[in-house]
């Protein structure tokens, strides 16, 4: 039988002190991350890099992200999927359409932000914000459109007072959780937690503006969900660079690796079994 996905995620948040989501860049990386974590984050930064080879400044087409989520859901029928949908792809009607499609293929949650175009990664300078009323109108339409989907409202404001103003407004509009991105000081998280009674999301990205934190440290300041944007992408970049360098240095002779063709095929066969076991169903049973 089909379950209520939003209640399911709320129940998990009630049962867990903190819930990590691992950012992936393609279906293969998702299948590896899924061996260790049951929360998978469909990262905009990672997808832009993998699918287009371009920076995360607004190139993602909503149809591409929907197709990607559907492929991930097919091989991971029982994992929680949190999807970055940027600003909802500019237009409120498009945002609502994308939310409906993602929910229909089994996504559990989305993150929608208050940036305007041209957008930037949340940990870079030069971000521009929509007027608060304009974003709230979009957010309310998305909340009215979704059935059970869990909606995280994200602000990219840098000024602490503006962060507090916007997060309060997002909570009052009915967002299920709140994310303030690019936070440099965890005391800001404490301040947000004091003024709103909603789950707080914290974004971790290597080399970003926010300090690297353990789950225990984030739990202590009131964070409920941690999304790791790029661990798989950055690990792949480093490993591929090292492998290509050694291949060139070794005159094209392959080195014996921890992973070989049998190991890789075993993972792919497991994905095939997961797909067949799910019977093509999008939602967890």
């Amino acid at each position: 039988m089909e379950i209520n996905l939003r209640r399911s995620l709320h129940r998990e948040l009630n049962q867990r002190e903190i819930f990590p989501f691992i950012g992936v860049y393609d279906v293969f990386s998702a299948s590896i991350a899924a061996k260790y974590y049951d929360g998978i984050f469909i990262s905009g930064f990672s997808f832009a890099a993998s699918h287009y080879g371009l920076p995360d400044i607004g190139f993602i087409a909503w149809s591409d992200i929907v197709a990607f989520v559907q492929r991930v859901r097919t091989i991971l029928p029982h994992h929680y999927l949190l999807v970055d949908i940027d600003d909802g792809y500019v237009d409120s009607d498009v945002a609502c359409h994308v939310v409906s499609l993602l929910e229909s293929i089994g996504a559990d949650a989305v993150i929608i932000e208050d940036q305007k175009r041209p957008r930037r990664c949340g940990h870079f300078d030069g971000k521009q914000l929509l007027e608060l009323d304009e974003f709230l109108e979009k957010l309310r339409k998305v909340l009215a459109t979704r059935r059970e989907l869990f909606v995280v409202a994200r602000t990219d404001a840098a000024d602490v007072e503006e962060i507090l103003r916007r997060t309060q407004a997002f909570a009052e509009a009915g967002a299920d959780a709140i994310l303030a991105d690019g936070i440099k000081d965890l005391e800001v998280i404490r301040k947000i937690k004091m003024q709103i009674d909603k789950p707080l999301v914290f974004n971790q990205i290597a080399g970003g503006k926010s300090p690297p934190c353990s789950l225990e440290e984030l739990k202590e300041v009131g964070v409920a969900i941690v999304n790791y944007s790029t661990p798989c992408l950055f690990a792949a970049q480093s490993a591929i660079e090292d492998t290509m360098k050694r291949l060139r240095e070794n005159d094209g002779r392959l080195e014996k690796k921890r992973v070989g063709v049998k190991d890789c095929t075993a993972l792919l066969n497991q994905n095939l079994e997961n797909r067949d076991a799910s019977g093509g169903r999008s939602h967890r049973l």
Side-chain angles (χ1 to χ4, degrees):
M1 61 180 292
E2 191 171 297
I3 62 173
N4 182 311
L5 295 177
R6 183 162 172 253
R7 281 187 183 173
S8 177
L9 188 51
H10 273 297
R11 183 175 65 246
E12 287 299 320
L13 293 177
N14 289 332
Q15 293 176 350
R16 307 188 195 195
E17 293 182 307
I18 195 163
F19 195 166
F21 281 78
I22 304 302
V24 300
Y25 63 88
D26 65 0
V27 183
F28 188 71
S29 64
S31 61
I32 297 173
K35 294 166 60 179
Y36 302 93
Y37 293 89
D38 64 348
I40 300 298
F41 176 52
I42 306 300
S43 161
F45 187 109
S46 295
F47 183 73
S50 175
H51 198 71
Y52 306 102
L54 295 171
D56 184 25
I57 55 175
F59 290 109
I60 296 174
W62 65 260
S63 54
D64 289 339
I65 206 75
V66 169
F68 175 41
V69 173
Q70 186 171 37
R71 292 196 297 273
V72 173
R73 175 51 82 204
T74 298
I75 62 137
L76 300 178
H78 305 299
H79 285 66
Y80 289 91
L81 301 185
L82 170 62
V83 185
D84 179 2
I85 61 169
D86 294 342
D87 58 353
Y89 309 101
V90 184
D91 184 82
S92 294
D93 290 335
V94 174
C96 292
H97 181 58
V98 171
V99 161
S100 293
L101 289 173
L102 288 173
E103 186 163 17
S104 72
I105 61 176
D108 296 289
V110 297
I111 298 176
I112 186 168
E113 68 191 32
D114 62 359
Q115 282 197 59
K116 64 181 179 180
R117 303 285 172 125
R119 70 172 307 281
R120 295 285 184 270
C121 166
H123 289 256
F124 288 169
D125 294 328
K127 297 179 291 183
Q128 302 177 75
L129 302 182
L130 293 169
E131 292 296 328
L132 179 56
D133 288 344
E134 184 179 357
F135 178 71
L136 289 175
E137 180 182 3
K138 182 189 297 186
L139 177 61
R140 291 189 183 105
K141 287 182 178 179
V142 164
L143 292 169
T145 298
R146 63 90 185 268
R147 298 185 301 277
E148 309 296 344
L149 196 72
F150 190 95
V151 176
V152 179
R154 162 180 154 179
T155 184
D156 283 84
D159 176 74
V160 174
E161 292 305 315
E162 185 64 11
I163 290 172
L164 295 176
R165 184 172 82 98
R166 287 181 177 248
T167 54
Q168 178 73 48
F170 297 172
E172 291 174 355
D176 297 304
I178 305 296
L179 166 61
D181 208 9
I183 295 294
K184 297 178 181 179
D185 186 346
L186 292 184
E187 286 303 312
V188 177
I189 300 293
R190 294 184 190 274
K191 291 180 179 180
I192 297 172
K193 189 64 179 176
M194 288 176 61
Q195 75 172 17
I196 63 174
D197 185 23
K198 296 278 186 177
L200 300 185
V201 184
F202 187 80
N203 184 32
Q204 296 242 59
I205 182 169
K209 290 185 175 182
S210 300
C213 301
S214 68
L215 293 178
E216 185 64 32
E217 289 170 326
L218 293 173
K219 184 172 61 178
E220 288 177 357
V221 298
V223 171
I225 297 173
V226 186
N227 61 296
Y228 296 84
S229 292
T230 54
C232 295
L233 178 70
F234 292 175
Q237 181 176 350
S238 175
I240 293 170
E241 288 273 5
D242 290 346
T243 300
M244 293 301 100
K245 181 180 179 181
R246 287 196 299 271
L247 185 64
R248 188 178 180 90
E249 291 172 347
N250 293 338
D251 193 29
R253 181 179 291 108
L254 287 172
E255 297 178 346
K256 185 177 181 180
K257 292 288 187 179
R258 186 170 65 88
V259 173
V261 63
K262 291 182 179 179
D263 308 284
C264 184
T265 302
L267 178 64
L268 299 177
N269 284 335
Q270 183 61 58
N271 289 344
L272 189 62
E273 292 176 12
N274 292 342
R275 184 207 64 180
D276 293 342
S278 73
R281 295 184 294 270
S282 295
H283 294 178
R284 289 186 305 280
L285 302 181

